[in-house]
């Protein structure tokens, strides 16, 4: 297959939806000779903050002269960025070659077993493990889990270290309706005799993680217990064991980013203490401070000010609103919002009431995108409007500040249709 044929075949898998479980992954990888066993993986899960934490780790490790692969989702600008090396998406030719290898395996599974058809995410994940396990060797691969952990396609590896960024009430139709339910799923990121670093606020969820780590003899490193930060305006001080790092100033805005950065720093220190990596601390901090992650508090225009942020659930909306309060001297902002089905839309939209001058809702071309009228009915705010064509709206915006937010898929659509440069 060529590149376009490959994309068509991969995206066609979306019709099979989400099918939790790892048996299809295990079968396909076995047919490929288990390439995932050739990779040093750092596994990152969580409701929010996964992408940013991946970015912090990548930049810090690259500053220490390591070759780093990443697997992230969804993509924001190009499909290929889901599988990247040192921040650069793999080539079209690599995508085509990987898809050509995986397609007959997927078809054989469908024809010869009772496991059924592989989903889009399973195909992409298999391609990633094949790429780094056979095609292109790197020092570490940072693998971001997709939906949950226990039944997520990525959860077929024995990592060198695991990170759980947060737990929130997201994908409750699949993962469960309580923090404990979701913690039971995400605690599957803990592997036997493997360090796990986590930032969990809910008491029931914390107990689940502590108990699971103890049962599996996994070193449990807990934010706000073992890892401490002291926030001082735009900077923060980091403390872990005998380590104290002062005056860390991140390019990425938000108190939540300080937490994500602290998890990444702790992971690097753990790998350093185990003798897995050599670590120059000054280079590490330089990488952490200058990390950038597209679609997160991203200023895409100065005049007028336009900020893009993929705040796709209640917790990330709250973090976004807090960041606008703390870092921008703005009375109010205009909000342009769109989202996909399965999210707590009413609660998400209500969180904007404190900062919004006007709330605009729109829809975009995506299978699970919510209709604009459905979103409009959920807005409890006096100044609200429906935007029929978000491209024209953004291009012709004349206000002081436009906050473009909601689904990461919406952010991807906006960036693909508008050149902000």
């Amino acid at each position: 297959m060529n590149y376009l044929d490959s994309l068509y075949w991969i995206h066609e898998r979306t019709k099979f939806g989400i099918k939790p479980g790892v048996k299809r992954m295990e079968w396909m990888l076995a047919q490929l000779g288990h390439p995932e066993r050739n990779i040093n993986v750092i596994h990152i899960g969580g409701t929010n903050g996964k992408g940013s934490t991946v970015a912090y780790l990548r930049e810090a490790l690259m500053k220490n002269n390591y070759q780093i692969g990443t697997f992230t989702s969804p993509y924001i600008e190009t499909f290929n960025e889901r599988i990247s090396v040192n921040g650069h998406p793999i080539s079209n030719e690599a995508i085509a070659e990987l898809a050509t290898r995986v397609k007959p395996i997927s078809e054989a599974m469908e024809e010869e077993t009772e496991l059924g058809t592989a989903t889009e995410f399973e195909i992409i994940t298999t391609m990633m493990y094949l790429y780094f396990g056979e095609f292109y060797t790197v020092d570490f691969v940072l693998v971001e889990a997709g939906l949950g952990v226990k039944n997520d396609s990525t959860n077929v590896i024995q990592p060198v270290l695991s990170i759980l960024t947060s737990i929130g009430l997201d994908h409750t139709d699949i993962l469960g309706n309580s923090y404990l339910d979701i913690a039971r799923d995400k605690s599957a990121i803990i592997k036997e005799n493997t360090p796990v670093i986590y930032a969990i606020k809910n008491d029931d969820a914390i107990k689940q993680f502590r108990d699971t780590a103890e049962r599996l003899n996994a070193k449990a490193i807990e934010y706000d217990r073992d890892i401490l930060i002291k926030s001082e305006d735009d900077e923060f001080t980091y403390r872990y064991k005998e380590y104290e790092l002062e005056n860390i100033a991140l390019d990425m805005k938000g108190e939540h980013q300080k937490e994500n950065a602290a998890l990444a720093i702790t992971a690097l220190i753990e790998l350093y203490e185990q003798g897995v990596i050599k670590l120059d601390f000054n280079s590490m901090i330089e990488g952490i401070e200058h990390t950038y992650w597209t679609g997160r508090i991203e200023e895409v225009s100065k005049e007028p000010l336009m900020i893009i942020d993929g705040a796709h659930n209640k917790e990330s909306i709250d973090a976004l609103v807090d960041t606008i309060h703390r870092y921008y001297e703005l009375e109010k902002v205009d909000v342009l919002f769109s989202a996909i089905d399965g999210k707590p839309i009413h609660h998400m939209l209500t969180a904007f009431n404190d900062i919004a001058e006007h709330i605009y809702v729109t829809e975009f071309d995506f299978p699970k995108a919510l209709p604009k009228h459905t979103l409009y009915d959920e807005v409890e705010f006096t100044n609200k409007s429906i935007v029929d064509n978000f491209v024209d709206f953004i291009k012709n915006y004349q206000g002081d500040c436009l906050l473009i937010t909601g689904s990461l898929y919406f952010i991807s659509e906006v960036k693909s249709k508008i050149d902000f440069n």
Side-chain angles (χ1 to χ4, degrees):
M1 293 188 292
N2 62 30
Y3 178 67
L4 291 180
D5 290 337
S6 300
L7 289 189
Y8 177 80
W9 174 68
I10 293 166
H11 293 324
E12 190 184 28
R13 307 292 94 191
T14 58
K15 67 186 178 185
F16 300 112
I18 297 170
K19 297 195 291 187
V22 297
K23 289 185 177 180
R24 287 176 298 278
M25 283 294 305
E26 291 172 341
W27 193 90
M28 289 190 291
L29 290 169
Q31 306 310 303
L32 291 165
H34 286 293
E36 79 283 3
R37 295 178 182 175
N38 301 327
I39 308 169
N40 291 321
V41 171
I42 299 174
H43 201 193
I44 299 99
T47 305
N48 296 302
K50 291 178 292 186
S52 299
T53 304
V54 165
Y56 287 125
L57 286 167
R58 181 194 67 206
E59 294 302 313
L61 284 165
M62 285 172 56
K63 283 290 184 182
N64 277 273
N65 300 313
Y66 288 99
Q67 297 284 309
I68 303 301
T70 53
F71 180 63
T72 56
S73 61
Y75 68 90
I76 301 299
E77 295 178 348
T78 64
F79 173 82
N80 300 31
E81 75 191 44
R82 298 185 73 162
I83 305 172
S84 295
V85 177
N86 292 340
H88 300 290
I90 66 172
S91 68
N92 293 353
E93 292 76 18
I95 291 288
E97 189 172 357
L98 290 165
T100 300
R101 282 281 301 277
V102 173
K103 186 172 186 284
I105 302 295
S106 170
E107 291 172 344
M109 181 175 69
E110 187 175 356
E111 294 168 2
E112 300 172 11
T113 77
E114 297 180 353
L115 295 171
T117 307
T119 66
E120 180 190 44
F121 191 69
E122 288 169 339
I123 292 295
I124 298 167
T125 308
T126 302
M127 289 168 57
M128 177 271 297
Y129 283 133
L130 178 61
Y131 184 75
F132 291 118
E134 182 178 315
F135 283 48
Y136 194 97
T137 301
V138 294
D139 296 305
F140 297 95
V141 181
L142 312 176
V143 174
E144 177 187 328
L147 199 164
V149 174
K150 182 179 180 180
N151 294 303
D152 185 69
S153 303
T154 63
N155 195 34
V156 290
I157 36 86
Q158 174 59 47
V160 296
L161 182 143
S162 301
I163 301 173
L164 198 286
T165 59
S166 65
I167 284 181
L169 298 178
D170 199 7
H171 299 295
T172 53
D173 54 330
I174 296 173
L175 302 181
N177 293 309
S178 71
Y179 283 102
L180 181 56
D181 287 336
I182 293 174
R184 289 191 181 109
D185 179 283
K186 293 185 186 291
S187 64
I189 204 165
I190 304 173
K191 301 299 189 292
E192 192 170 7
N193 301 317
T194 303
V196 60
I197 302 163
Y198 54 95
I200 304 174
K201 307 300 190 294
N202 178 270
D203 290 341
D204 290 337
I206 289 173
K207 185 177 187 305
Q208 170 69 24
F209 255 68
R210 289 175 179 173
D211 291 348
T212 304
E214 183 177 1
R215 176 170 55 83
L216 295 175
N217 193 37
K219 182 178 181 178
I221 306 166
E222 191 173 299
Y223 184 82
D224 270 345
R225 182 191 67 181
D226 307 302
I227 309 164
L228 301 173
I229 69 169
K230 181 181 179 183
S231 185
E232 300 154 344
D233 298 323
D234 292 346
E235 299 180 345
F236 71 98
T237 297
Y238 165 92
R239 294 187 181 95
Y240 172 59
K241 296 198 290 191
E242 74 275 15
Y243 300 95
E244 180 170 288
L245 306 172
E246 298 181 318
N247 306 122
I248 302 173
L250 305 176
D251 282 351
M252 293 217 284
K253 296 180 175 67
E255 293 299 298
H256 58 298
Q257 292 297 354
K258 297 175 183 178
E259 179 177 310
N260 296 332
L263 297 179
I265 292 169
T266 308
L268 295 166
I269 289 174
E270 276 300 304
L271 294 174
Y272 167 71
E273 290 201 335
Q274 292 173 31
V276 176
I277 62 171
K278 295 179 180 179
L279 190 64
D280 180 276
F281 277 66
N282 289 331
S283 297
M284 173 184 71
I285 295 302
E286 182 183 355
I288 293 284
E289 289 187 324
H290 298 303
T291 294
Y292 165 81
W293 193 237
T294 186
R296 275 71 168 185
I297 315 291
E298 181 182 1
E299 296 180 17
V300 293
S301 171
K302 294 291 186 183
E303 294 183 3
L305 180 61
M306 292 188 187
I307 300 167
I308 283 182
D309 190 83
H312 56 283
N313 53 42
K314 180 62 165 62
E315 290 85 0
S316 55
I317 293 280
D318 288 340
L320 171 59
V321 170
D322 178 70
T323 302
I324 295 296
H325 274 307
R326 287 175 181 267
Y327 291 87
Y328 292 92
E329 296 179 358
L330 299 164
E331 289 292 328
K332 298 288 181 180
V333 301
D334 294 321
V335 177
L336 176 63
F337 179 88
S338 194
I340 62 174
D341 196 15
K343 302 288 183 174
I345 300 302
H346 181 79
H347 295 292
M348 292 169 70
L349 286 163
T350 301
F352 290 119
N353 290 355
D354 190 39
I355 64 168
E357 177 70 32
H358 201 116
I359 296 179
Y360 299 89
V361 295
T362 191
E363 62 188 39
F364 63 107
D365 185 19
F366 187 75
K368 292 177 65 181
L370 286 168
K372 54 198 173 188
H373 292 284
T374 300
L375 295 171
Y376 182 84
D377 291 340
E378 294 292 336
V379 179
E380 289 187 355
F381 194 74
T382 304
N383 297 328
K384 62 177 183 176
S385 301
I386 290 175
V387 169
D388 294 318
N389 187 319
F390 66 82
V391 174
D392 288 344
F393 175 80
I394 294 170
K395 287 182 175 179
N396 297 310
Y397 177 73
Q398 298 294 320
D400 294 326
C401 178
L402 180 63
L403 178 60
I404 305 166
T405 188
S407 169
L408 280 166
Y409 295 102
F410 174 52
I411 297 305
S412 177
E413 187 81 0
V414 168
K415 298 201 78 171
S416 71
K417 293 183 179 300
I418 299 174
D419 183 4
F420 289 101
N421 297 321

